[in-house]
Amino acid sequence: KVQVYQEANRETRVQIQESVRGKDVFVIQTVSKDVNTTIMEMLIMVYACRTSCARSITGVLPYFPYSKQCKMRKRGSIVSKLIASMMCKAGLTHLITMDLHQKEIQGFFNIPVDNLRASPFLLQYIQEEIPDYRNAVIVAKSPASAKRAQSFAERLRLGIAVIHGEAQDAESDQVDGRHSPPTVKTTGAIHPSMEIPLLIPKEKPPITVVGDVGGRIAIIVDDIIDDVDSFVAAAETLKERGAYKIYVMATHGLLSSEAPRFIEESAIDEVVVTNTIPHELQKLQCPKIKTVDISMILSEAIRRIHNGESMSYLFRNIGVDD
């Protein structure tokens, strides 16, 4: 029994209303729209259990917030490392999560992390719910998600296609010359005799689809579907190349702001996500969104940890690259 509420000044207050002394505590926290409040609720609850002498505190976060910010960008910071440090400092002794954006995020924690996989549930959905799935091709909407697509394709014994490049804008700055390099060679000189060579800027080619999708069912796979622009653009490209049905499969359906409307108006036939994040509202707005229940694997992980059983059964057939 616990009471969680916000005071008038938006401070989060947590009161645990039964004894947790010497108990194994599991804090299940699904990430809502207000991510920062969700994180504070979790941290305060974990700290409250720790100061109440709980024997162990396991956090169950089906979707790990800020997991996209796991790389250094210009003058930004690696926020998921900060969140990991805060959780460990609050008193978490174990973390159960699902499909981290990058599996190396586990290294940000100095506690055990079980990164469960949703792919068995999504693969089962493909086999049971997509008629004629043998005529499908697994699509990576960018070369970055090719590894995930390869994993799906190998398990289903299907072909793979990769979308590469970006839409070329005719009225781009390349046409009017603003993109052209300066006439004077500028290099960051450390010493008159030393010159650092300038890195050539990347130039993406026009969109190409590597692999045959003509007359096939295209299944785009990714881990997070939030801003759907790239998925809609990929679906348009696949339709042009002759794919007759387009599915999108992802573990975490954030589906922010206008995403349901864009999906409804797009060439995508169905978006399949798991219930790691609540999305009932989005489903009302867009009947194309379908949900796969993954509560079974989370409950089994909780049971095994509590009883001190091996977790390897939940990771069977998962290779180092998956």
Side-chain angles (χ1 to χ4, degrees):
K1 288 176 187 173
V2 66
Q3 196 178 14
V4 182
Y5 60 94
Q6 286 191 324
E7 293 186 353
N9 64 351
R10 304 265 297 156
E11 279 184 12
T12 303
R13 192 177 282 270
V14 172
Q15 286 179 331
I16 293 163
Q17 296 177 322
E18 60 182 284
S19 173
V20 293
R21 186 178 292 271
K23 302 267 180 77
D24 288 332
V25 179
F26 290 85
V27 180
I28 300 171
Q29 182 67 299
T30 47
V31 177
S32 64
K33 280 264 181 279
D34 193 352
V35 181
N36 298 335
T37 304
T38 304
I39 292 167
M40 278 312 292
E41 275 179 12
M42 166 124 191
L43 294 173
I44 295 166
M45 200 177 289
V46 167
Y47 191 61
C49 292
R50 180 187 169 188
T51 49
S52 302
C53 299
R55 186 171 69 174
S56 70
I57 306 158
T58 305
V60 183
L61 279 96
Y63 168 66
F64 186 71
Y66 285 97
S67 61
K68 278 184 174 179
Q69 297 188 49
C70 60
K71 288 191 175 89
M72 194 69 173
R73 296 260 165 92
K74 291 186 179 172
R75 293 189 183 88
S77 63
I78 303 171
V79 185
S80 47
K81 165 66 178 160
L82 172 67
I83 301 292
S85 303
M86 285 160 69
M87 285 180 177
C88 295
K89 197 76 181 163
L92 216 58
T93 59
H94 199 129
L95 179 73
I96 302 172
T97 185
M98 183 160 266
D99 279 343
L100 286 169
H101 187 54
Q102 297 285 339
K103 59 181 180 294
E104 290 78 9
I105 293 172
Q106 292 174 80
F108 294 159
F109 291 85
N110 50 17
I111 56 170
V113 177
D114 285 310
N115 180 26
L116 303 173
R117 303 298 202 278
S119 52
F121 296 90
L122 296 173
L123 292 166
Q124 187 183 18
Y125 184 92
I126 292 171
Q127 289 171 319
E128 292 177 2
E129 302 295 328
I130 299 180
D132 194 24
Y133 84 93
R134 288 271 168 226
N135 185 36
V137 61
I138 305 295
V139 180
K141 69 174 174 64
S142 68
S145 53
K147 197 177 272 187
R148 178 180 293 270
Q150 184 190 351
S151 172
F152 270 70
E154 284 172 359
R155 281 177 166 77
L156 293 165
R157 292 166 179 77
L158 297 174
I160 184 172
V162 180
I163 298 172
H164 175 52
E166 62 182 355
Q168 299 291 303
D169 186 8
E171 293 298 311
S172 71
D173 52 356
Q174 294 178 9
V175 178
D176 64 8
R178 281 180 293 181
H179 193 75
S180 58
T183 48
V184 185
K185 189 184 177 190
T186 56
T187 51
I190 300 168
H191 190 269
S193 64
M194 281 176 69
E195 282 185 346
I196 297 173
L198 282 173
L199 196 65
I200 300 161
K202 282 184 185 177
E203 223 173 89
K204 284 192 176 177
I207 286 179
T208 50
V209 178
V210 183
D212 180 32
V213 293
R216 314 280 284 277
I217 299 167
I219 303 172
I220 304 170
V221 295
D222 215 334
D223 61 332
I224 298 170
I225 176 164
D226 183 10
D227 177 22
V228 295
D229 292 352
S230 57
F231 290 94
V232 170
E236 292 290 331
T237 305
L238 293 167
K239 264 273 188 281
E240 285 167 19
R241 299 294 195 286
Y244 75 90
K245 219 163 188 194
I246 295 158
Y247 289 82
V248 174
M249 315 283 286
T251 306
H252 309 296
L254 276 74
L255 301 163
S256 303
S257 59
E258 294 290 295
R261 186 171 63 82
F262 290 145
I263 292 166
E264 192 59 38
E265 293 167 1
S266 73
I268 299 166
D269 291 287
E270 205 167 280
V271 173
V272 182
V273 290
T274 69
N275 55 350
T276 52
I277 295 168
H279 52 264
E280 281 74 27
L281 243 143
Q282 286 91 324
K283 281 181 81 171
L284 291 173
Q285 293 171 284
C286 175
K288 286 183 182 179
I289 299 166
K290 301 281 186 284
T291 311
V292 174
D293 180 30
I294 47 89
S295 57
M296 193 196 307
I297 196 167
L298 289 172
S299 53
E300 180 62 11
I302 291 169
R303 190 192 68 76
R304 283 174 178 268
I305 287 167
H306 181 62
N307 295 331
E309 295 174 24
S310 167
M311 292 289 283
S312 61
Y313 177 76
L314 302 179
F315 294 99
R316 67 197 183 284
N317 300 329
I318 289 171
V320 179
D321 294 333
D322 285 3

